[in-house]
Amino acid sequence: MWLIDQLVEQHVSEAQKNGDFDNLAGSGKKLVLDDDSHVPHELRAAYRLMKNSGFLPPELEMRREAIELQELLAGIDSSDDNYQAHSKRLVLLEAKLRQAGLSTDFLRGDYGAQLNQRFDGEA
């Protein structure tokens, strides 16, 4: 065990003995934890800090932007001046996500994925 881990355990034990954890907000309620099983164990603390600070890995940031663009395009008329620019940006983001090895099926839903499989001859 690392020295820092031992110090943390010592402080936590002392706080428990002193009753510092009694009557905390949410005490006795089930924790809602994010699934970070895909993140290597040694990187989880760093990822959690980055996430809590509002930073996302580039692939997730592109995915978030693609979802926002799709929602924006669904809400504006195709004859709008900005529609073409937003549409091109969405196509570019899809290409970048695919190049990074990520699926873009989340932009089409189940029906769109089934159509793509049918046209690709996979079904």
Side-chain angles (χ1 to χ4, degrees):
M1 186 179 260
W2 293 91
L3 179 60
I4 189 97
D5 293 333
Q6 291 174 348
L7 289 172
V8 168
E9 288 295 327
Q10 179 183 357
H11 285 287
V12 169
S13 296
E14 288 174 14
Q16 283 176 329
K17 289 176 189 172
N18 295 336
D20 294 341
F21 297 135
D22 296 343
N23 301 322
L24 290 176
S27 179
K29 295 180 182 174
K30 186 175 181 181
L31 291 176
V32 178
L33 301 174
D34 294 335
D35 179 25
D36 58 358
S37 59
H38 63 285
V39 179
H41 182 71
E42 62 273 4
L43 297 177
R44 287 183 187 164
Y47 272 59
R48 175 79 49 200
L49 285 171
M50 289 175 59
K51 180 182 175 189
N52 291 343
S53 298
F55 292 99
L56 287 175
E59 295 84 8
L60 292 181
E61 184 65 36
M62 284 190 294
R63 185 172 193 234
R64 184 196 54 79
E65 185 180 351
I67 291 170
E68 288 178 358
L69 278 172
Q70 182 187 32
E71 291 172 355
L72 177 70
L73 290 171
I76 61 175
D77 191 271
S78 60
S79 62
D80 189 309
D81 295 336
N82 295 325
Y83 186 89
Q84 192 68 23
H86 293 311
S87 182
K88 286 180 182 179
R89 176 69 182 153
L90 181 59
V91 169
L92 177 65
L93 283 172
E94 281 187 79
K96 286 183 176 182
L97 286 166
R98 285 189 192 125
Q99 186 177 19
L102 300 174
S103 172
T104 57
D105 289 342
F106 64 91
L107 292 171
R108 288 176 196 75
D110 294 334
Y111 182 72
Q114 291 174 3
L115 278 177
N116 282 340
Q117 288 176 351
R118 176 68 53 98
F119 288 126
D120 290 341
E122 296 175 11

